[in-house]
């Protein structure tokens, strides 16, 4: 958009718990764009918050309500940003989308109307921040952003498993709380198991469960794996068999 107002666009803005498609930031307000690229006739029930679409063959599908998603993002950012009003809009990007029923005054538009929507907001607001303050807020947002490693989609069966000896490159065995090389008797002081887990995070996933740890590091006992995870002191979430651990890189 060719605007006289200075602005920034932040695409795919991610924090640990949020993923915002696009943020439009200017001196007057901050606008969150929740973008949906789905065809068909869409309908949001105001009472149940159910978001559905109907296809030409009569079949119906349910999706997460994009209004609720955008409101969730708005509440999160409002905890950190008090200098600007924060708005949101759901943008339907597919040209075959037909809006059938929406809650009254719901900010849902086709992509063709996005520029007009932004210009109306600009016309109805006065500048709050200076250019320097705008850049400072941009920096604050960028500091909040997290970067996730790209998923490589590597089949775990093709990855060499276990903690590998530095001297012999053979797989070490785990006994009495320590990895030991069966060939040269080298004992790991914790460095090699960390390297193995870092490889797992890079090639497979940054989260690992007790079961997946046992398979990858070739540990037979569930209790031994539990003790090792406790010793590694990794951040975790979930309870009992649903617990998973985040590998710190």
């Amino acid at each position: 958009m060719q605007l006289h107002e200075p602005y920034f666009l932040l695409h795919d803005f991610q924090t640990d718990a949020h993923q915002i498609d696009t943020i439009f930031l200017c001196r007057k307000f901050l606008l969150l764009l929740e973008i949906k690229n789905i065809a068909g006739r869409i309908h949001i029930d105001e009472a149940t918050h159910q978001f559905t679409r109907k296809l030409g063959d009569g079949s119906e599908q349910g999706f997460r309500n994009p209004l609720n998603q955008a409101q969730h993002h708005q509440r999160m950012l409002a905890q950190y940003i008090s200098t600007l009003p924060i708005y949101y809009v759901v943008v339907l990007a597919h040209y075959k989308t037909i809006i059938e029923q929406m809650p009254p005054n719901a900010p849902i538009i086709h992509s063709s109307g996005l520029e007009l929507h932004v210009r109306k907001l600009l016309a109805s607001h006065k500048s709050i921040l200076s250019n320097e303050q705008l850049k400072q807020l941009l920096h604050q947002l960028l500091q909040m952003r997290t970067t996730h490693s790209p998923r490589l989609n590597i089949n775990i069966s093709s990855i060499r498993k276990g903690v590998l000896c530095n001297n012999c490159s053979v797989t070490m065995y785990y006994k009495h709380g320590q990895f030991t090389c069966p060939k040269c008797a080298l004992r790991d002081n914790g460095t090699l198991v960390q390297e193995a887990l870092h490889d797992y995070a890079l090639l497979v996933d940054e989260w690992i469960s007790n079961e997946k740890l046992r398979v990858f590091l070739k540990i037979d006992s569930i209790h031994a794996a539990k003790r090792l995870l406790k010793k590694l002191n990794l951040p975790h979430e979930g309870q009992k068999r649903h617990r998973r651990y985040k590998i710190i890189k």
Side-chain angles (χ1 to χ4, degrees):
M1 292 182 289
Q2 299 298 318
L3 302 174
H4 296 297
E5 177 74 28
Y7 69 93
F8 296 98
L9 291 174
L10 302 178
H11 298 292
D12 192 22
F13 184 87
Q14 297 186 45
T15 68
D16 288 334
H18 292 258
Q19 190 275 321
I20 302 171
D21 292 330
T22 298
I23 296 176
F24 176 95
L25 174 66
C26 67
R27 296 180 301 178
K28 300 179 176 181
F29 57 84
L30 188 150
L31 178 64
L32 309 178
L33 280 68
E34 187 71 28
I35 301 169
K36 297 299 176 187
N37 187 31
I38 56 175
R41 297 178 177 270
I42 64 170
H43 170 225
I44 295 182
D45 187 286
E46 185 177 8
T48 63
H49 296 267
Q50 178 70 45
F51 178 75
T52 58
R53 69 126 173 225
K54 183 180 291 185
L55 297 173
D57 60 5
S59 62
E60 283 190 277
Q61 290 178 301
F63 295 88
R64 290 182 64 187
N65 188 328
L67 289 173
N68 291 347
Q69 288 178 268
Q71 290 162 0
H72 184 50
H73 301 325
Q74 181 191 45
R75 288 192 296 271
M76 181 274 293
L77 285 177
Q79 296 176 27
Y80 303 98
I81 299 171
S82 58
T83 51
L84 288 179
I86 302 173
Y87 302 109
Y88 61 87
V89 61
V90 175
V91 182
L92 302 172
H94 201 289
Y95 72 99
K96 289 187 176 181
T97 304
I98 299 173
I99 302 173
E100 282 201 331
Q101 183 177 339
M102 296 292 137
N105 302 315
I108 299 178
I109 60 174
H110 278 283
S111 56
S112 58
L114 178 57
E115 183 171 351
L116 179 61
H117 184 81
V118 171
R119 290 187 182 276
K120 283 183 176 179
L121 283 174
L122 289 170
S124 62
H125 288 72
K126 293 182 178 181
S127 293
I128 298 173
L129 304 180
S130 66
N131 286 338
E132 185 59 33
Q133 289 172 324
L134 178 64
K135 291 179 182 178
Q136 290 173 2
L137 181 54
L138 173 66
H139 179 72
Q140 180 185 343
L141 286 167
L142 292 175
Q143 290 295 105
M144 294 170 57
R145 196 173 190 172
T146 57
T147 302
H148 296 278
S149 300
R151 298 305 300 273
L152 302 179
N153 293 322
I154 296 174
N155 191 327
I156 193 170
S157 63
S158 64
I159 299 172
R160 188 178 177 189
K161 299 177 181 63
V163 176
L164 304 180
C165 176
N166 260 354
N167 298 330
C168 315
S169 295
V170 300
T171 302
M172 306 173 84
Y173 65 88
Y174 190 69
K175 190 174 182 180
H176 303 309
Q178 199 167 34
F179 285 95
T180 304
C181 177
K183 188 173 181 180
C184 70
L186 174 71
R187 293 185 177 184
D188 178 32
N189 61 4
T191 302
L192 298 179
V193 67
Q194 290 283 2
E195 289 180 3
L197 289 175
H198 289 174
D199 289 343
Y200 183 92
L202 177 64
L203 300 173
V204 184
D205 193 355
E206 60 184 5
W207 291 91
I208 194 167
S209 64
N210 183 300
E211 180 183 4
K212 290 178 179 178
L213 180 93
R214 282 182 279 130
V215 171
F216 186 68
L217 298 185
K218 297 188 174 182
I219 299 174
D220 296 328
S221 168
I222 185 173
H223 301 292
K226 185 177 180 179
R227 289 192 292 270
L228 175 60
L229 286 165
K230 186 176 181 179
K231 183 179 178 181
L232 291 169
N233 195 27
L234 299 175
H236 58 267
E237 63 179 28
Q239 298 296 323
K240 297 182 179 179
R241 64 187 183 91
H242 299 294
R243 176 166 289 187
R244 61 178 192 160
Y245 301 81
K246 187 170 186 179
I247 301 168
I248 303 173
K249 302 175 189 177

